[in-house]
Amino acid sequence: MKKVLILLLISTIISAQNRSTEQRVDSVLALMNLEEKVGQLVQYSSGWATGSKTDRPEESSSDLLKAGKIGSFFNIVGAETTRELQRIAVEESRLKIPVIIGLDVIHGYKSTFPVPIAEASSWNPELVKKSARWQAIESSAAGVHWTFNPMVDIARDPRWGRIVEGSGEDPYLGAAMAVARIKGYQGDDLSASNTIAACIKHFAGYGAAEAGRDYNTVDFSERTFHEFYLRPFKAAVDAGAATLMSSFNEIGGVPASGSHYLLTKVLRGMWGFDGFVVSDWNSVGELVPHGVAANLKEAAELGLEAGVDMDMEGNAYFRHMVELVNEGMVSIETIDESVRRILRIKFRLGLFDDPYKYNNVETEKKNVLSDEIIKATKDVALESMVLLKNDGLLPLKKDIRKIAVIGPLGQSKEDPLGPWNQQGQKDYVVTVVEGLQNKLGSSAEIMFAEGCKILGEDRTGFAEALETAKKADVIVLSLGESLHLSGEAQSRSTLDVPGVQEELAKELHKLGKPMVLVLMNGRPLTINWFDENVNAILECWFLGLQSGNAIADVLFGDYNPSGKLPVTFPKSLGQVPLYYNHKNTGRPLNPKVPAYTSHYNDESNDPLYPFGYGLSFTKFEYSDLKLSKSEFKKDESIKVIFTLKNTGKYAGEEVAQLYVRDLVGSVTRPVKELKDFAKIKLNPGESKMVEFSITPEKLKFFDLNMDFVVEPGDFKVFIGGNSVDVIEQSFKVVE
Ligand code: NOJ
């Protein structure tokens, strides 16, 4: 009888389309017993591990699902396989609450797009949104409801391997990319069967790990934290991100996954986030080694009270939460609130209305690795490359007869997929050699020699590489990092091109042939020798499935590169952290008399390539910078107008950038801060008047009292194609 009543109630809840989500959430909650509530807070990976193996439950996944003891799985894919999990949840458990299935769709499911740092180099939020949209279309067809992306961590230290997963060093660009990705994944309607919930991560400060060593301690001022590191998170919450992941690191003595300040005061209190928080892999359990909880039970209490709703690899909650409630250590109201947040997202995804909406095998066949998505990976790859140097060698002439591709990445099928490529299909990867062959057909000879491996000291391949190169008209050096050298737990203590690759390049250079470096890597590298000695450098990062075709398009001028660096390239490791929006200091460098001003004895302060930098085959000229007035009220917007002209011979796109400097404040301000940008297409000789607007919001910062305000005073505005080469004007803000 009781069972029949519950079933009746559930079907009423499920069919009540016209009732508000909150009412529906509460009606489900009212039926749940404590074990079922705790079950919603538990998540397990079903497959491979990206962290330590945790002490998994003894029962099988299906028994746990039937018992309502698991609310979410991740690392399980396929319309059919995930349907079976869902079937158990909604047909065999008492309350029939659907399970939510997550996956790290970081830059694609099977169709691999460029890595996130590459996409950020496009400075094209619309394009990045489209990429995320495609990723959602493909992964949702394979039963995925939820991606653990975007990673919006600001990173100023290229030693940190996860710099590849984010959008670089700047909060404004980072926020724009975060919002674009959320809109792409979640679309206009989260309940559609081809949209997925986004998860902003890693909250927070994870990108500032000391010495660039992954998982290491983070410690910075509250001002720096809010001003730089939290900005993209705030923008993503405002854009409606459904979920958020708490990070592994501590900040100033408080581990993020046990931080009430971060997860409750800031996130829910100040920002009004109403989605749910999932921990990172066992990051609640790691409160024990952090040293803020004596055991797993204390960790569970601390994590939940702080605001972690779902425990990834959830042993802490699975093993101890029921007990904690029964002992009165955790209140049922706190549990209810976390369950409510998780059910809310399950409702918003439409899982209660149709739990199998992501489980259509036909849709999976149609959408996974479709021709359209593969084409889209190329469109994104084209805009993701950054031309770092060109003495005129590029674009190459199409009548070139012999090209030598030299280097360990020239024929690699796996590395172009980049780290976190999920289920990337190496058989679909177009290598550099294949891309050139596709471009030139039988009219040219594309020769290849590996020369050396990415890592190691073996030079035995040098001789063959030199012999091959001797026969060529031009050498395409295909060097860099393997996909395994960046990503999680892949910190490096040098930024050199690894192994003997630079040595190989030096030997080849002696041949006196034209050389272009095609670089694949997940972080800024110190490439001074290349900058001085090769004719052209194309930064490709890891471009995904269509790598070779996209690279060939640029090398032969069928696409004019338009990418700009989202992160500074240092000259040497000793300069790190090196970022454009630094403070002036009390003793800024005096280049004429450097003594006792802020400098190195053995290195310049300048980067090799600054933030925002990137060349085109054409030239752009900035002029006539004007402001609508010279004095503005605090609540007024400032119109900034300038002329951009294509003075070169090729049609091209330029990312025009606007920076601001607040000259005197109640606290010190960065020497420059990005406040707007636009990608503008111009034909040769064409010019355009471009207008930007500096809204009061863009001038706000955290003042001496940590209030977010505009302070009256003198400002400078800079316009240019990177953060260094700019034209400038001044303005004043008054009360
Ligand atoms: C650990 C990583 O830090 C996080 O980014 C990822 O989403 C989870 N593992 C799940 O794979």
Side-chain angles (χ1 to χ4, degrees):
M1 180 63 196
K2 206 167 151 206
K3 214 170 160 193
V4 174
L5 209 69
I6 287 175
L7 284 179
L8 258 171
L9 263 169
I10 302 264
S11 61
T12 326
I13 291 159
I14 293 172
S15 62
Q17 301 287 356
N18 53 348
R19 294 169 62 194
S20 80
T21 302
E22 292 310 301
Q23 283 172 322
R24 297 176 80 190
V25 165
D26 281 335
S27 353
V28 176
L29 195 62
L31 301 173
M32 297 171 81
N33 63 33
L34 177 58
E35 282 73 16
E36 286 161 337
K37 287 179 181 175
V38 170
Q40 287 303 306
L41 316 183
V42 172
Q43 182 191 51
Y44 279 104
S45 164
S46 86
W48 46 267
T50 57
S52 54
K53 283 261 183 293
T54 55
D55 173 25
R56 302 277 178 83
E58 301 70 36
E59 303 94 316
S60 71
S61 305
S62 37
D63 285 347
L64 290 167
L65 261 183
K66 272 184 218 162
K69 287 187 174 175
I70 289 196
S72 174
F73 278 103
F74 66 116
N75 290 338
I76 181 155
V77 293
E80 199 84 76
T81 318
T82 53
R83 168 180 279 270
E84 177 54 15
L85 269 190
Q86 195 63 290
R87 190 196 62 74
I88 298 171
V90 302
E91 290 179 29
E92 296 191 20
S93 75
R94 188 180 78 98
L95 289 182
K96 316 197 171 323
I97 298 175
V99 66
I100 178 170
I101 295 173
L103 189 74
D104 288 284
V105 181
I106 306 298
H107 52 113
Y109 166 55
K110 288 201 177 183
S111 302
T112 309
F113 283 79
V115 288
I117 191 121
E119 289 195 345
S121 304
S122 72
W123 290 56
N124 185 346
E126 263 315 300
L127 182 84
V128 171
K129 180 174 151 190
K130 273 189 204 146
S131 164
R133 193 79 281 284
W134 277 114
Q135 294 173 43
I137 289 170
E138 192 185 50
S139 57
S140 60
V144 176
H145 309 150
W146 174 28
T147 176
F148 304 131
N149 208 38
M151 184 192 102
V152 306
D153 293 310
I154 295 298
R156 295 168 165 179
D157 191 331
R159 288 173 295 185
W160 190 54
R162 303 199 79 170
I163 199 168
V164 68
E165 286 174 63
S167 298
E169 72 191 34
D170 182 69
Y172 187 87
L173 181 64
M177 292 299 155
V179 170
R181 290 191 168 114
I182 282 156
K183 298 215 154 124
Y185 289 130
Q186 298 192 171
D188 298 327
D189 174 11
L190 193 53
S191 74
S193 56
N194 64 5
T195 56
I196 56 178
C199 180
I200 40 174
K201 67 185 190 185
H202 307 82
F203 197 63
Y206 182 44
E210 278 178 1
R213 209 180 68 224
D214 208 3
Y215 318 120
N216 204 7
T217 304
V218 171
D219 203 348
F220 38 40
S221 71
E222 198 189 349
R223 180 167 293 102
T224 300
F225 190 29
H226 280 265
E227 180 122 4
F228 295 95
Y229 292 87
L230 289 185
R231 288 283 186 100
F233 284 100
K234 168 76 167 67
V237 167
D238 290 345
T243 74
L244 172 145
M245 187 183 290
S246 64
S247 59
F248 288 125
N249 57 286
E250 71 155 80
I251 306 161
V254 184
S257 293
S259 172
H260 186 269
Y261 168 74
L262 264 182
L263 300 174
T264 298
K265 194 168 168 205
V266 173
L267 181 65
R268 271 104 182 201
M270 287 160 63
W271 298 353
F273 177 69
D274 75 348
F276 72 84
V277 172
V278 62
S279 74
D280 203 341
W281 184 287
N282 192 35
S283 65
V284 171
E286 287 174 17
L287 296 174
V288 178
H290 266 298
V292 292
N295 50 47
L296 203 58
K297 186 170 166 187
E298 271 187 34
E301 183 187 346
L302 190 56
L304 190 81
E305 294 287 358
V308 175
D309 303 308
M310 186 182 277
D311 184 8
M312 179 186 282
E313 275 301 296
N315 288 316
Y317 290 7
F318 179 82
R319 302 225 178 264
H320 299 290
M321 201 53 81
V322 171
E323 191 187 336
L324 280 164
V325 176
N326 288 335
E327 287 170 1
M329 304 298 287
V330 167
S331 75
I332 193 68
E333 287 75 25
T334 309
I335 299 277
D336 282 354
E337 197 41 46
S338 285
V339 176
R340 198 172 273 125
R341 292 174 187 140
I342 292 165
L343 293 180
R344 187 180 290 145
I345 298 304
K346 290 186 176 182
F347 269 109
R348 285 189 189 156
L349 277 164
L351 290 174
F352 278 93
D353 297 315
D354 178 4
Y356 300 118
K357 64 199 300 178
Y358 294 80
N359 302 100
N360 183 326
V361 177
E362 288 311 309
T363 313
E364 183 178 33
K365 269 195 209 130
K366 191 170 130 260
N367 290 359
V368 174
L369 289 163
S370 69
D371 292 347
E372 296 100 300
I373 190 169
I374 291 174
K375 184 187 167 298
T377 68
K378 182 175 173 197
D379 295 342
V380 181
L382 287 171
E383 288 200 46
S384 300
M385 285 174 275
V386 187
L387 183 63
L388 297 177
K389 178 179 179 184
N390 186 19
D391 68 359
L393 176 66
L394 299 185
L396 298 171
K397 311 255 171 322
K398 287 205 175 117
D399 58 7
I400 282 187
R401 286 285 144 276
K402 284 171 189 273
I403 300 180
V405 177
I406 310 284
L409 287 155
Q411 278 281 46
S412 170
K413 282 276 190 190
E414 202 185 359
D415 295 299
L417 293 170
W420 280 115
N421 66 61
Q422 197 39 249
Q423 315 244 331
Q425 303 291 297
K426 62 180 188 193
D427 294 345
Y428 282 68
V429 168
V430 179
T431 66
V432 177
V433 170
E434 288 164 352
L436 291 171
Q437 252 151 8
N438 292 343
K439 168 93 20 209
L440 300 177
S442 56
S443 72
E445 191 184 344
I446 316 292
M447 299 168 287
F448 170 70
E450 189 182 36
C452 62
K453 301 286 178 206
I454 292 171
L455 293 172
E457 304 278 302
D458 188 358
R459 296 168 179 81
T460 49
F462 280 23
E464 188 206 351
L466 284 162
E467 279 317 303
T468 308
K470 269 184 202 158
K471 294 182 241 157
D473 305 317
V474 61
I475 302 170
V476 174
L477 278 172
S478 192
L479 309 180
E481 296 185 309
S482 73
L483 84 166
H484 302 297
L485 283 177
S486 56
E488 187 181 349
Q490 306 303 334
S491 297
R492 290 184 60 199
S493 70
T494 87
L495 299 176
D496 298 339
V497 177
V500 290
Q501 296 180 83
E502 186 168 321
E503 216 177 298
L504 171 67
K506 285 177 178 160
E507 290 304 314
L508 292 162
H509 182 245
K510 290 181 191 154
L511 299 176
K513 305 242 175 191
M515 282 213 291
V516 46
L517 170 64
V518 166
L519 199 59
M520 287 185 204
N521 48 320
R523 53 161 65 76
L525 296 174
T526 43
I527 48 170
N528 307 324
W529 181 86
F530 294 94
D531 182 63
E532 280 160 25
N533 293 288
V534 302
N535 304 84
I537 303 176
L538 186 63
E539 173 57 82
C540 301
W541 309 108
F542 296 109
L543 291 172
L545 294 192
Q546 284 284 306
S547 288
N549 286 339
I551 290 167
D553 273 6
V554 169
L555 295 183
F556 283 93
D558 290 331
Y559 180 79
N560 187 354
S562 61
K564 302 274 186 176
L565 294 177
V567 64
T568 301
F569 270 49
K571 286 187 170 157
S572 57
L573 179 65
Q575 295 176 309
V576 167
L578 186 68
Y579 48 94
Y580 86 96
N581 45 3
H582 60 84
K583 301 295 183 67
N584 201 37
T585 82
R587 292 190 181 191
L589 172 71
N590 177 351
K592 289 197 189 111
V593 193
Y596 297 100
T597 67
S598 185
H599 77 293
Y600 297 100
N601 286 334
D602 53 0
E603 180 59 276
S604 102
N605 287 6
D606 296 333
L608 179 61
Y609 306 118
F611 175 81
Y613 171 85
L615 303 172
S616 162
F617 295 148
T618 194
K619 291 254 172 303
F620 294 100
E621 191 184 273
Y622 290 81
S623 63
D624 299 329
L625 173 58
K626 288 189 200 83
L627 306 183
S628 43
K629 298 191 280 189
S630 57
E631 207 172 283
F632 298 87
K633 292 244 167 61
K634 258 166 65 169
D635 54 359
E636 267 182 300
S637 284
I638 298 157
K639 222 192 263 171
V640 180
I641 301 161
F642 60 94
T643 304
L644 180 68
K645 183 169 186 194
N646 180 347
T647 58
K649 291 198 226 99
Y650 299 86
E653 285 177 285
E654 168 75 333
V655 178
Q657 301 157 41
L658 179 148
Y659 297 87
V660 162
R661 178 168 180 185
D662 187 340
L663 291 174
V664 181
S666 60
V667 295
T668 61
R669 306 296 306 136
V671 295
K672 267 180 202 137
E673 289 179 276
L674 181 73
K675 291 298 172 191
D676 215 341
F677 59 88
K679 206 162 189 174
I680 298 143
K681 197 169 190 167
L682 292 175
N683 288 320
E686 193 187 356
S687 60
K688 226 178 222 166
M689 247 188 23
V690 184
E691 189 180 311
F692 283 135
S693 165
I694 310 176
T695 58
E697 205 55 28
K698 291 182 184 174
L699 295 183
K700 285 187 182 167
F701 63 95
F702 293 93
D703 71 0
L704 201 55
N705 305 315
M706 282 303 289
D707 291 325
F708 195 54
V709 295
V710 183
E711 284 185 355
D714 290 319
F715 289 77
K716 275 189 175 176
V717 56
F718 310 90
I719 295 285
N722 63 62
S723 58
V724 169
D725 303 309
V726 289
I727 52 174
E728 62 178 77
Q729 276 286 358
S730 302
F731 65 91
K732 199 185 254 312
V733 171
V734 294
E735 279 295 345

